[in-house]
Amino acid sequence: MADKTRDTTTDGGVTADEEITQPLGLPRWVSALLPIVLLVLVLGVFAFTSPLAGVQSGEPLPDVTITHTTLPSDETVVLHVTNNGPESVTISQVLVDEAYWDFRVEGAGGDQTLAPMESAQIVIPYHWNPGWDLGVTLVLSDGATFHNTIVAPSQSPGFSLGLLGTLAVIGLFVGVIPVALGMLWFPYIKTMSDRWLHAVLLFAAGVLGFLAFDAGFEAFELAERIPGAYEGNLLVVFGIFGALLLVQAISAWREGRVAAGDSRASSGLWIAYLVAIGIGLHNLAEGLAIGSSFALGRVSLGAFLVIGFMLHNVTEGPAVVAPVARGERPSLKHFAALGVIAGAPVILGGWIGSLAYSPTIGAFFLAIGVGAILQVDWEIARMVRDAGGRVASATNLLAFLFGLAIMYVTDLFVVL
Amino acid sequence: MPSIDYDTAADVTKRLEERLVESLTGETSVSRRTVLGGLGVAGSAAVGLGSSRASATSDHDDEDEHGNFGAVGEYEDLDFDPHEFLTAFNTGDSGQDNVPQQVYEEDGRTVREFEFTAVDTTIAIAPGVEFQAWAYNGQVPGPTIRAVEGDLIRVKFTNLGRHAHTIHPHLKNLNPRMDGIPQNGPGVLDTGESFTYEWIAQPAGTHFYHCHSLPLKEHIHRGLYGTIIVDPDPERVRENPREYVNYPGPITDDFREQLVEEAKSRNHEYAENDAVNEMVMVMNSFDTNFDGGNEVYAANTRAFGYGVGDTDGEGNWTAGETKRPIQIDKNQRQRVYLSNATEFDLINSFHTHSQFFDYYDHGTTLTPTNKTVDTIMQCQAQRGIIEIDYSDHEPGLYMFHAHQSEFAELGWMSFFEVV
């Protein structure tokens, strides 16, 4: 519909002339606001006259989610609950292992009733046993029940500098150091022919592609535990597309700058930073996983785990530096910045995961990471094409496959 | 392509065929159980358990094609012997080494004093399967206490476990402070706390004790239960025969003497009692995976503890080191003090093969409450006395088990070996 010529459609009709003038000669802003004003009016009439009051097809079902549990001491169990339903719910009783038990509700305004979308903590004084599963059931005022099993409980670590220090050290080993080591391949990558450099770039794209799937599945898995009202799966979709489009918009803006003759924006450094940000987001999620395992007391900090993560993350180093292998070498400052952006979020994620863990935050971070990574893959493909390479050459496809494969193999070493 | 030597190929094919036929004669179908059994063998081999089953079946190729059920392997942990437990009565005079006890007179009453502790421990419930238990004096079931009607049972109880515990007796107890519940007397005893429970041994019968801390399901099914046997006093029976029978008719002198004789056979302080072979059995069960259902059932904790070690399914069997039938003398009267500590299931039962017995519900009567039955059922904490006579049976194996097939196949399956 780009042309302005009369278009004869198949039914013989003709398109109407375009209206240039506003109806009744009103100013433009009126026609912009009018539908909104009318909508408000209709809503008001609907709310006050309740024309559907006679239509009654039963009650909406109550929907309560136990998002997660914390065990601050060996005689306390805390359930974090959210009311997802459209109606208030009252938590009248709590069962622990099929026995009615003491409890108090905190954070619901002093009573046991949760308004829609309201969250609260249910504090249960119960002498639990490390490693012995515990079944907890909420009984609402209408007798509806919501059950949750705390598998192999263990005490939640409280806030302590020691824990933060431990997580920082772990983050250093599984995030920063491997990425830095991987970046040491830079001088070698610089000496490569175009063909092989492109292969390395596609290898990096394969690594990132694997991470996108890895984090994506993880995000949808976590989304299962997000209270229904927050639409976990759609939140993940939104996070993926949001990040993808946001980073892509920045990228498009950069292209505009290049066209306008900004030399800095045309360098590979830009892409290197994008890759670092994508990997950084992924590593933030990795840190969240480690931190939350800590919070849930599920971490076996064997050397094996750390080694697995290191092998897994060392491949991210060349991915970061490959885009700057052509043209002049960036200053060391940039290398340091790239390494920190890509690796250090493991530490930050660890802290967030151990202190303020919630499935919603976790899934959203993972989704943002997926979106960012997908955009980076797109960017890498363009970079190869701009440099005169063929993205889908045999070497490049195999390199991409190798990236996927090596991530799969090293992923087997990482069992959280 | 290497050239093919037809002779060699034929040889190889024949060998492979033979091997296939051999491998199929053992098991026509690989069921989940055999796979699990195999894993069990592998597992027990790994922890250094010799499996009598495995060694026996490797001797002959004609393994029963239907397979045999039963837990694979022997028990490694020898801290608890269900065969010893059968006849371990703690009377104050004599009893188990791990139950400090004494008997003395106080205000004209016999006092039987026991020291009980509650501890956290690990017990073996099936070969190679361990269970984190809470146990009186480190054993599950707890020690069997035996007293005579009218005695004072004094239990000095110290809780050494992580959780708060009590002892609640199923006796006629006139003092609420001594009931062992959270709401009365000292309430629950926290780690390190002690309390001395005192109960009058009444009424005569076989009774039950258990921890009454909350959550009740956990505290019972983790192993805090045991048997209290209160022997009838023959003199008291002579004076009050009506209290020991559920019978409204006239009490003749003969009948009275018969009741007194029965009381003497029940009372461990009388010679008449020596003629009876008495056994204590507590039907119990264990939930190993926290799903509110039991994975292991047993009489006296150990799955198949009174089973045969190994059988070829053709009438030949051997006793295992730890899994072996209860040997009984056919000329002795057999008496089982049976109680049910099973959690998560509504009832448990006791069924004898080729045999009928008399049952005395709660053991509070001297005449049977069920005469000539081969199956009785008990809800949790119900108990009773079973009297069995094998004097006219041929020697050999006589099975007894829960007649919930599920329980039987999960471990509550036993044998008497009549000799």
Side-chain angles (χ1 to χ4, degrees), chain A residues 119-170:
Chain A
S119 295
Q121 289 86 48
I122 294 173
V123 182
I124 305 170
Y126 186 94
H127 196 173
W128 50 272
N129 267 280
W132 296 4
D133 293 10
L134 207 58
V136 287
T137 308
L138 309 179
V139 183
L140 305 187
S141 53
D142 63 352
T145 58
F146 294 91
H147 182 83
N148 179 281
T149 302
I150 305 167
V151 176
S154 74
Q155 193 153 329
S156 315
F159 173 81
S160 77
L161 290 174
L163 177 69
L164 294 188
T166 306
L167 284 165
V169 171
I170 294 168

Side-chain angles (χ1 to χ4, degrees), chain A residues 34-388:
Chain A
L34 189 67
I36 298 174
V37 172
L38 288 176
L39 177 66
V40 171
L41 269 173
V42 171
L43 285 177
V45 168
F46 192 91
F48 281 105
T49 61
S50 309
L52 296 180
V55 182
Q56 183 59 283
S57 59
E59 291 280 305
L61 293 174
D63 183 7
V64 176
T65 304
I66 301 172
T67 53
H68 59 296
T69 52
T70 46
L71 303 163
S73 78
D74 70 350
E75 294 200 326
T76 315
V77 176
V78 180
L79 311 178
H80 301 259
V81 300
T82 302
N83 175 13
N84 303 312
E87 302 275 328
S88 289
V89 294
T90 301
I91 295 158
S92 300
Q93 295 294 342
V94 169
L95 298 168
V96 181
D97 271 350
E98 299 183 334
Y100 284 102
W101 209 263
D102 276 353
F103 70 100
R104 60 177 195 277
V105 179
E106 290 183 353
D111 59 4
Q112 292 168 211
T113 301
L114 271 61
M117 300 290 284
E118 190 177 8
S119 295
Q121 289 86 48
I122 294 173
V123 182
I124 305 170
Y126 186 94
H127 196 173
W128 50 272
N129 267 280
W132 296 4
D133 293 10
L134 207 58
V136 287
T137 308
L138 309 179
V139 183
L140 305 187
S141 53
D142 63 352
T145 58
F146 294 91
H147 182 83
N148 179 281
T149 302
I150 305 167
V151 176
S154 74
Q155 193 153 329
S156 315
F159 173 81
S160 77
L161 290 174
L163 177 69
L164 294 188
T166 306
L167 284 165
V169 171
I170 294 168
L172 199 67
F173 271 96
V174 306
V176 181
I177 291 174
V179 171
L181 288 176
M183 285 164 74
L184 291 179
W185 270 307
F186 177 72
Y188 177 71
I189 293 172
K190 250 185 111 65
T191 63
M192 285 177 162
S193 67
D194 269 6
R195 179 185 169 199
W196 286 108
L197 176 64
H198 292 169
V200 170
L201 281 168
L202 265 288
F203 166 80
V207 166
L208 291 164
F210 181 90
L211 293 181
F213 277 104
D214 191 26
F217 290 138
E218 184 100 11
F220 282 113
E221 206 172 297
L222 259 183
E224 307 265 299
R225 308 201 343 240
I226 295 175
Y230 293 109
E231 294 291 1
N233 285 340
L234 292 175
L235 180 75
V236 171
V237 170
F238 172 70
I240 293 173
F241 276 100
L244 173 65
L245 296 174
L246 211 60
V247 184
Q248 183 57 30
I250 296 169
S251 198
W253 170 79
R254 176 187 70 96
E255 285 198 4
R257 294 289 306 272
V258 173
D262 184 337
S263 64
R264 266 196 327 174
S266 66
S267 68
L269 190 59
W270 173 263
I271 294 177
Y273 270 109
L274 280 182
V275 173
I277 289 169
I279 287 178
L281 281 169
H282 163 81
N283 280 344
L284 180 78
E286 215 162 67
L288 276 177
I290 296 174
S292 58
S293 304
F294 252 92
L296 302 169
R298 280 280 165 285
V299 77
S300 53
L301 267 180
F304 198 57
L305 176 80
V306 176
I307 290 167
F309 263 126
M310 288 181 86
L311 288 175
H312 194 64
N313 291 351
V314 79
T315 51
E316 292 165 356
V320 173
V321 292
V324 289
R326 287 292 176 266
E328 61 178 284
R329 186 178 66 79
S331 68
L332 287 174
K333 263 203 325 240
H334 281 298
F335 278 108
L338 287 170
V340 168
I341 290 171
V346 174
I347 299 173
L348 185 66
W351 289 347
I352 295 171
S354 69
L355 297 176
Y357 184 73
S358 93
T360 314
I361 293 174
F364 194 60
F365 272 124
L366 284 162
I368 288 173
V370 173
I373 286 170
L374 289 175
Q375 197 281 332
V376 171
D377 265 3
W378 189 345
E379 195 82 19
I380 287 176
R382 258 218 327 246
M383 185 181 180
V384 171
R385 215 174 293 124
D386 291 350

Side-chain angles (χ1 to χ4, degrees), chain B residues 180-253:
Chain B
I181 58 169
Q183 297 84 347
N184 262 340
V188 295
L189 301 167
D190 285 325
T191 308
E193 290 184 348
S194 299
F195 182 74
T196 301
Y197 292 103
E198 294 187 351
W199 312 304
I200 302 293
Q202 60 186 10
T206 180
H207 301 305
F208 189 62
Y209 68 85
H210 63 90
C211 174
H212 213 297
S213 286
L214 300 171
L216 207 50
K217 284 198 295 288
E218 190 84 90
H219 283 259
I220 292 180
H221 120 268
R222 285 280 153 195
L224 292 166
Y225 45 75
T227 306
I228 301 177
I229 297 169
V230 178
D231 296 338
D233 175 356
E235 294 314 308
R236 201 178 169 285
V237 172
R238 195 184 302 280
E239 302 302 308
N240 313 281
R242 286 229 177 267
E243 286 185 28
Y244 299 86
V245 290
N246 185 4
Y247 162 75
I251 303 251
T252 62
D253 284 352

Side-chain angles (χ1 to χ4, degrees), chain B residues 28-58:
Chain B
T28 46
S29 68
V30 179
S31 69
R32 184 168 156 275
R33 181 173 293 281
T34 44
V35 172
L36 290 177
L39 290 177
V41 173
S44 57
V47 296
L49 286 174
S51 163
S52 52
R53 164 83 44 87
S55 59
T57 51
S58 57

